[in-house]
Amino acid sequence: MIGSDPEQPFRQTGWPALRAKVFHTLFLLRRPMTLGVRGLVYNRERNSIFLIRHTYVPGWQLPGGGVEKGETMEQALSRELEEEGNIVLSGSPALKSVHFNRISSPRDHVGLYLVEAFRQTGPKLPDREIAEAGFFPLDQLPDRTTPATLRRIAETMRGVPVSPYW
């Protein structure tokens, strides 16, 4: 029903829609962009955050990963937290910032979410992707916590001005 979808009058059909799809495809081929998410999972009672250490890159960092085709950022965050930490969202995470990750790629951006409503279904055991994972008090973060992770913690938890760069 046309009246039930307020976006319907703005949708292209026929030749204009096909032309737009072709242009979008060409744009994607010439300028692909990647999008990722990270979660700052905060246990307020223990004043601690959840960090992971991958098997394939050095350092401790916030859990997260890429947004897959057809996923929203929140869906990607939920999936990554379950995969990397056995963490299940029990409320809406808060998008705190978006950063350009120029170290990874000239077209990569990362959304940072603060996660305070969650439950962990069990400790995360090592696997092929995650070497170690756990909650750490904010004043006792592990050695080799990545600089980007330290920046995101400072911005989110201590009010340090947010950098546009990861």
Side-chain angles (χ1 to χ4, degrees):
M1 192 158 73
I2 292 175
S4 65
D5 182 3
E7 298 291 326
Q8 186 61 39
F10 302 98
R11 292 205 175 99
Q12 294 179 315
T13 60
W15 170 246
L18 179 61
R19 184 181 62 198
K21 190 170 283 257
V22 168
F23 280 120
H24 282 268
T25 301
L26 290 173
F27 180 82
L28 209 76
L29 292 172
R30 291 187 63 220
R31 299 183 190 137
M33 188 161 84
T34 56
L35 180 62
V37 291
R38 295 284 177 145
L40 197 161
V41 180
Y42 179 57
N43 182 324
R44 187 174 296 280
E45 285 179 16
R46 295 193 170 135
N47 196 34
S48 63
I49 61 168
F50 186 77
L51 296 175
I52 61 166
R53 191 174 63 76
H54 283 107
T55 58
Y56 52 89
V57 292
W60 287 89
Q61 51 197 284
L62 301 169
V67 178
E68 301 294 335
K69 183 177 180 179
E71 268 185 331
T72 66
M73 290 173 65
E74 282 191 29
Q75 288 169 334
L77 178 67
S78 178
R79 177 180 48 77
E80 290 289 345
L81 291 177
E82 286 188 52
E83 289 174 5
E84 295 184 352
N86 295 330
I87 292 173
V88 178
L89 297 175
S90 58
S92 296
L95 179 62
K96 299 305 282 183
S97 53
V98 177
H99 306 267
F100 174 36
N101 189 1
R102 60 187 172 188
I103 293 169
S104 289
S105 151
R107 301 286 296 164
D108 188 46
H109 291 78
V110 179
L112 175 72
Y113 284 86
L114 176 61
V115 176
E116 295 184 275
F118 67 92
R119 65 183 172 81
Q120 190 174 32
T121 59
K124 175 60 181 172
L125 300 176
D127 59 27
R128 290 185 314 191
E129 182 185 8
I130 306 299
E132 295 180 87
F135 281 90
F136 296 89
L138 280 173
D139 61 353
Q140 296 174 16
L141 298 177
D143 290 338
R144 300 195 31 88
T145 298
T146 66
T149 298
L150 294 173
R151 287 192 298 272
R152 302 300 77 83
I153 293 167
E155 292 163 356
T156 305
M157 306 308 288
R158 294 195 288 275
V160 171
V162 175
S163 169
Y165 302 102
W166 186 254

